[in-house]
Amino acid sequence: MSSPVLPSHGRLRPLGLPQVRLTGGFWHERQVVNASATLAHCESWMERLGWLANFDRVADGTTGPDRPGWPFSDSEVYKLLEALAWEAARTGDPEAEAAIKRLTARVARAQDPDGYVNTCFGHGDQTPRYSDLEGGHELYNTGHLLQAAVARLRTHGEDDLVRLARRAADHVCRVFGPDGRAGICGHPQIELGLAELGRALGEERYIEQARLFLDRRGHGTLRDIPLGRAYFQDDLPIREADVWRGHAVRALYLSAAAVDVAVELGDDELLHAVERQWERSVARRTYITGGMGSRHQDEGFGEDWELPPDRAYCETCAGVASIMVSWRLLLATGEVRYADLIERTLYNVVAASPSPDGRAFFYANPLHQRTPGKPADPEEVSPRAEGGTRAAWFDVSCCPTNVARTLAGLHGYLATSDDDGLQLHQYAPCSISAELPGGRRAGLRVETGYPRTGTVRVRITADADAPWTLTLRVPAWASGATLTDEGRTREVAPGVAELRRAFRADDLITLDLPVEPRFTWPDPRIDAVRGCVAVERGPEVLCAESHDLPGPAALDALVIDTRAGLKAGDDAAFARALLPSHPGSAWPYSTRPAAPESDAGWIDLPLRPYHSWAQRGPAGMRVWLPAATPTPEGE
Ligand SMILES: [Zn+2]
């Protein structure tokens, strides 16, 4: 069964190919663009920049310190391999299959006889192996190689990629095992690769090695750096931490691996530690988009309530990593809050990154762009993560391949099974079938225009001779949702709706989710957006763009009349807004509060999905909109 995460036990079991197939709609469109454009786009950029030739140069003995690319560029090749493996299994595309063989052959030639494979260290005049665990990313790269091999193993079976990954994993266990060097990598990831390859191959020592790496971290194992040891979560053991801190992607990859290890080893203390950190970080350190990371300096989490919209970092990779953590916690515990956050992050971080043609990407995902970015040159590498426009490739180009592997395997995040039935967590047109214990067959087809419309039709496709339970997630925002089954309609509360019987083919269950636009107010302790409102529609966060206004400066001044409500339109929702003009002043502070906005000049302001912002060209944009000052009673 092909799924990126296959725990040996847990509350829920993931369903992947061939049980789940996306058949149309929002996510299927993105899977198709990913397949037809993004995968080749990534390979051609890595060829052009010499990141692929780095492997050839190791094999030919011609590499040296002049090697192009950052030390982690190998990992982009491995993330692309993972994406190709999911894609080849999804469609049987011969080009994806050929690309896997082509890339694997180049990596395999570069592997040293003892299993070490890395193009940046240890060859020719390069710095020696494992001489910079803080910044060298050697084990991080290897971790991505192992994850690519897991994808291949689960979709195809043993091949050259799996064999080379196994040798690499054995090498890591020899060098860093219980009797070896007590080191860890500055960037967690090897733990994820080892845990999953251990599951896929039934090699418990790989899982044990992952646990060893986890427990070594947090004791000042790495050298201190100017950003402090919290940057790579080496400040505090993961079992003791209460909240995510430091570099967001590192913190999240580490937690994802910790769930894997906790589940495999029955380590409840470790599982509870991650649940605790998730809860506090989601309550206080997460943007309305699901984005994580407030600080540019260290691509990191800020303090509690430090969530400035214009300085939001919200790296696309942190969105991917957050989904990885929540998916593992959902499988382990069955708690619906994890699926809620996955949905929020999918629509408002992952979907925001790629352009409609799949050849440009957002790296940072701010919630407020004051000045429109410069149009990105499709032939140029963007030197920076932010900029307000999607770029073809980046100097540090972690995000495009992370989007590619996530979209290629996205069907694996929709549904699960347990001993009693099927659980639908995300709504998209798809077909699902599964064998349940006792020889019961469960099958269904989902038809929906979600998220644009809120009606989700679930049609049963197989007769069951014994009862089973169908569980449908009712998102936390969906108060007033209804469920119609066997001609009866009832209201269902946020959480889950369950139906249990011996379903017959053609039975139809309809879930109606209220996707009218709605105002959302922030906790007042998020001081950067106090006095503002956001507008959401179903799982989508909406935003105002300067394309719909006289200019970017109008975004600075606009205020929203929340009492006037919201109007739904075809493409946009509309809020009643005022664009006040402010007299210029030499000093933007006063001994008196600003006068309330005048009642003249209100407009209907279009609000569109955040995930498609800047698709009409560079734009000013904001998610959080100042609410008009209420007029005092009696005036
Ligand atoms: Zn990234």
Side-chain angles (χ1 to χ4, degrees), residues 77-398:
V77 178
Y78 304 147
K79 273 147 71 187
L80 176 60
L81 270 166
E82 183 186 343
L84 287 162
W86 299 128
E87 185 53 35
R90 189 178 73 85
T91 56
D93 177 12
E95 174 45 34
E97 188 62 33
I100 293 169
K101 296 206 166 71
R102 187 161 70 229
L103 297 178
T104 299
R106 293 172 82 172
V107 175
R109 283 186 65 225
Q111 187 167 38
D112 293 342
D114 66 352
Y116 179 82
V117 52
N118 188 289
T119 69
C120 192
F121 291 86
H123 302 98
D125 295 330
Q126 289 176 336
T127 317
R129 289 176 183 186
Y130 304 122
S131 54
D132 178 13
L133 289 178
E134 289 75 16
H137 288 76
E138 285 158 284
L139 290 164
Y140 166 86
N141 288 326
T142 305
H144 276 301
L145 171 62
L146 307 192
Q147 274 195 310
V150 167
R152 190 61 172 158
L153 194 54
R154 293 208 175 123
T155 53
H156 174 89
E158 186 104 11
D159 74 345
D160 286 347
L161 177 57
V162 175
R163 282 186 283 274
L164 93 85
R166 193 196 278 266
R167 286 194 295 273
D170 290 342
H171 159 80
V172 169
C173 292
R174 274 196 308 277
V175 176
F176 293 96
D179 304 322
R181 181 174 168 184
I184 56 171
C185 185
H187 199 315
Q189 167 60 28
I190 185 66
E191 299 85 352
L192 272 166
L194 282 168
E196 207 59 43
L197 190 64
R199 284 166 166 166
L201 291 169
E203 285 277 13
E204 282 175 29
R205 64 201 174 90
Y206 293 168
I207 296 165
E208 188 49 40
Q209 182 66 43
R211 186 200 59 76
L212 204 53
F213 280 134
L214 280 167
D215 280 334
R216 278 179 193 159
R217 189 177 295 268
H219 303 281
T221 306
L222 295 166
R223 276 192 303 265
D224 203 1
I225 58 170
L227 292 168
R229 285 198 177 95
Y231 175 71
F232 31 49
Q233 294 76 43
D234 193 28
D235 57 327
L236 200 60
I238 188 164
R239 293 170 192 276
E240 293 173 23
D242 290 322
V243 69
W244 287 325
R245 69 234 173 272
H247 188 272
V249 178
R250 292 172 203 242
L252 293 163
Y253 281 180
L254 184 70
S255 281
V259 179
D260 287 338
V261 167
V263 166
E264 289 314 305
L265 302 181
D267 189 338
D268 288 345
E269 179 200 48
L270 186 55
L271 181 65
H272 295 329
V274 179
E275 288 179 284
R276 186 171 72 231
Q277 291 165 44
W278 185 99
E279 200 167 290
R280 165 87 177 260
S281 307
V282 170
R284 297 175 179 222
R285 299 188 176 190
T286 302
Y287 285 93
I288 188 173
T289 52
M292 293 185 182
S294 312
R295 294 183 180 175
H296 288 230
Q297 177 181 290
D298 59 349
E299 305 187 305
F301 286 96
E303 303 286 342
D304 287 356
W305 316 119
E306 182 188 335
L307 295 163
D310 47 355
R311 297 300 295 157
Y313 197 68
C314 294
E315 181 179 345
T316 300
C317 287
V320 168
S322 161
I323 291 166
M324 290 165 63
V325 178
S326 287
W327 179 244
R328 285 160 171 79
L329 288 171
L330 175 65
L331 297 178
T333 67
E335 289 178 28
V336 73
R337 59 181 177 163
Y338 300 120
D340 278 342
L341 186 66
I342 289 172
E343 174 173 67
R344 182 172 289 282
T345 311
L346 277 174
Y347 280 103
N348 302 298
V349 180
V350 174
S353 178
S355 60
D357 73 357
R359 293 187 175 90
F361 306 86
F362 275 140
Y363 186 121
N365 294 279
L367 282 74
H368 186 171
Q369 181 75 28
R370 293 181 186 273
T371 309
K374 292 196 172 56
D377 183 338
E379 296 303 316
E380 288 293 321
V381 174
S382 172
R384 63 187 66 84
E386 62 268 24
T389 47
R390 294 172 180 83
W393 203 251
F394 298 91
D395 179 36
V396 171
S397 217
C398 44

Side-chain angles (χ1 to χ4, degrees), residues 431-457:
S431 60
I432 300 178
S433 61
E435 287 284 337
L436 302 175
R440 291 170 295 169
R441 275 175 56 226
L444 54 85
R445 202 169 59 240
V446 177
E447 298 152 4
T448 180
Y450 193 77
R452 195 59 207 84
T453 62
T455 301
V456 180
R457 290 192 185 83

